[in-house]
Amino acid sequence: MAEKRDYYEVLGVSKTANDDEIKKAYRKLARQYHPDVNKAADAEAKFKEVKEAYDVVSDGQKRAQYDQYGHVDPNQGGFGGGGDFGGGGFGDIFDMFFGGGGGGRRDPNAPQRGNDLQYTMTIEFKEAVFGKETDITIPRTEGCDTCHGSGAKPGTKPETCSVCQGSGQQEVVQNTPFGRMVNRRACSNCSGSGQIIKEKCTTCSGSGKVRKQRKIHVRIPAGVDDGAQLRMTGEGEGGLRGGPAGDLYIVIRVKSHDFFEREGDDIYCEIPLTFAQAALGDEVEIPTLTEKVKLKVPAGTQTGTYFRLKGKGVPRLRGMGQGDQHVKVVVVTPSKLNDEQKDLLRQIAALDGEQTHEHEQSFFDRVKRAFRGD
């Protein structure tokens, strides 16, 4: 048998830790290793180790005895119960940490809310900008119409389990050196449901649920962005025993656009200008999300300059008005020139006092010469 670790080491606290520090450490580790949450192969063993350590260190008398004798019990009883956990099993602790009312029993026949669903929808760039209405079809679980969710054949009804009397739990009493321990487990007769269905509904095979395809009409608001979530209340899976349905969450994915880019409520784009347009100025036509507009480019505009078209961006999702469109101009250098064009550019360069060196060597030859210091 492997040697037991020090209980304080297991909980990650010092030997002088107070009750609050010990409880806080235990709750954190119990959440981490609870078998209903952690599916690792060693999670259950670690959970038991943490529970055993906490049972001793949190009890004043046991702690004093442990501090004096360690894992050796002078009364030969030993510390820790191994497979059983004091006043309750995994289910009790899971209830305490994850919404079960601090260890109180839950009614297995109470109404239960249905599960939430998630659906990913891909839309076009402009559909996100202006909004869209569409129908989607989703598979989901709904209450069986034949048995109205009871799971029993029509004309019959579930009976209360005679073993657990409808509680869904069985109590196992165990006498230990530290007293009488009670461990609660799911009833083996009814699998924790508290009811026995002798004649099952043939439509749902006694589950009270059926799988269906449901068509849902979706309204996507104007201005929605990539990654946004739309919540549709009550469109998730159906509840059990009259419980409410869950919700449907639609995750929006927006396709990219060939010309426009989006940042928040603003739109960005680039337009090419010739050297003459940038130098002399011009009026150019700019595409926007809804129309084409004229933009005056002043003489001497440099490449990389941005112009703003106010109110030509995306409608604000939670407010009035729209964002802006930002237009970046890029001066395009011609790659092919005829002799007359070359001569005109030489004249311009001469007027500016510039010297030109044309086609005397290739680009790579010029780079080599620069490295040689020529």
Side-chain angles (χ1 to χ4, degrees):
M1 181 180 294
E3 184 179 349
K4 287 188 177 183
R5 289 200 297 156
D6 179 81
Y7 285 151
Y8 295 102
E9 179 186 341
V10 171
L11 295 173
V13 298
S14 67
K15 290 188 177 182
T16 58
N18 59 35
D19 291 343
D20 288 339
E21 291 172 331
I22 292 170
K23 186 174 183 179
K24 183 178 180 181
Y26 168 65
R27 289 175 66 89
K28 179 181 178 182
L29 293 171
R31 277 180 178 269
Q32 180 179 350
Y33 294 120
H34 195 287
D36 287 346
V37 176
N38 191 327
K39 301 304 181 184
D42 61 346
E44 182 174 344
K46 289 184 177 180
F47 181 86
K48 291 179 179 180
E49 183 183 41
V50 169
K51 182 66 172 65
E52 179 181 322
Y54 177 72
D55 283 345
V56 174
V57 177
S58 63
D59 184 288
Q61 183 177 349
K62 295 180 186 177
R63 181 177 181 179
Q65 185 172 307
Y66 175 74
D67 289 344
Q68 184 174 359
Y69 298 104
H71 290 292
V72 179
D73 182 3
N75 298 319
Q76 303 301 315
F79 287 113
D84 295 321
F85 302 112
F90 287 146
D92 296 320
I93 296 169
F94 189 81
D95 288 345
M96 180 171 63
F97 288 137
F98 301 100
R105 300 186 184 184
R106 294 175 295 178
D107 182 359
N109 300 312
Q112 181 179 332
R113 182 180 182 273
N115 293 326
D116 293 335
L117 296 176
Q118 180 175 297
Y119 179 92
T120 300
M121 179 186 295
T122 302
I123 60 177
E124 299 293 336
F125 185 90
K126 288 191 176 182
E127 289 176 336
V129 172
F130 301 113
K132 176 183 180 180
E133 291 194 24
T134 186
D135 290 328
I136 61 173
T137 300
I138 62 167
R140 73 177 192 180
T141 299
E142 299 182 2
C144 176
D145 293 332
T146 304
C147 65
H148 305 290
S150 71
K153 181 180 178 181
T156 68
K157 62 181 181 179
E159 298 178 4
T160 302
C161 175
S162 59
V163 174
C164 65
Q165 304 302 316
S167 68
Q169 294 181 327
Q170 286 178 292
E171 293 185 349
V172 179
V173 180
Q174 182 180 20
N175 292 320
T176 73
F178 304 110
R180 187 169 176 267
M181 303 295 183
V182 179
N183 184 33
R184 286 199 298 270
R185 301 189 178 103
C187 176
S188 59
N189 189 47
C190 65
S191 301
S193 68
Q195 294 182 327
I196 298 294
I197 301 175
K198 291 187 175 180
E199 295 186 74
K200 295 181 179 180
C201 171
T202 56
T203 302
C204 65
S205 301
S207 68
K209 301 180 292 183
V210 291
R211 200 72 171 167
K212 291 185 178 180
Q213 298 286 331
R214 180 173 176 82
K215 182 181 287 187
I216 298 174
H217 188 71
V218 180
R219 291 184 176 87
I220 300 173
V224 72
D225 206 350
D226 185 73
Q229 279 196 139
L230 306 180
R231 177 185 177 187
M232 303 193 69
T233 304
E235 293 294 355
E237 294 198 330
L240 293 177
R241 296 176 293 277
D247 298 332
L248 170 64
Y249 291 86
I250 299 178
V251 179
I252 301 297
R253 295 298 176 198
V254 181
K255 293 182 181 179
S256 60
H257 194 275
D258 292 337
F259 183 71
F260 298 113
E261 291 185 5
R262 178 177 175 180
E263 288 187 16
D265 295 329
D266 289 345
I267 293 293
Y268 289 79
C269 67
E270 292 184 359
I271 60 164
L273 292 181
T274 65
F275 172 76
Q277 286 176 307
L280 302 175
D282 197 1
E283 186 176 73
V284 295
E285 195 173 62
I286 306 295
T288 70
L289 293 168
T290 56
E291 58 186 345
K292 294 180 179 179
V293 298
K294 296 289 187 178
L295 173 65
K296 288 186 177 181
V297 179
T301 294
Q302 302 297 309
T303 189
T305 301
Y306 279 91
F307 295 94
R308 185 178 71 158
L309 302 177
K310 191 173 182 179
K312 295 298 182 181
V314 180
R316 292 190 173 91
L317 189 60
R318 295 180 179 86
M320 301 295 291
Q322 294 179 237
D324 302 325
Q325 180 170 330
H326 302 269
V327 181
K328 179 183 178 182
V329 297
V330 179
V331 178
V332 179
T333 302
S335 58
K336 294 182 180 180
L337 296 172
N338 59 34
D339 291 340
E340 184 178 359
Q341 291 171 324
K342 292 178 182 178
D343 186 55
L344 289 173
L345 288 175
R346 293 189 193 102
Q347 293 179 43
I348 294 173
L351 290 173
D352 288 340
E354 298 177 2
Q355 293 183 346
T356 61
H357 304 277
E358 304 171 45
H359 306 298
E360 295 177 358
Q361 64 276 328
S362 70
F363 171 78
F364 291 107
D365 289 334
R366 294 198 299 272
V367 172
K368 290 178 182 178
R369 291 188 59 184
F371 275 108
R372 291 198 302 267
D374 296 343

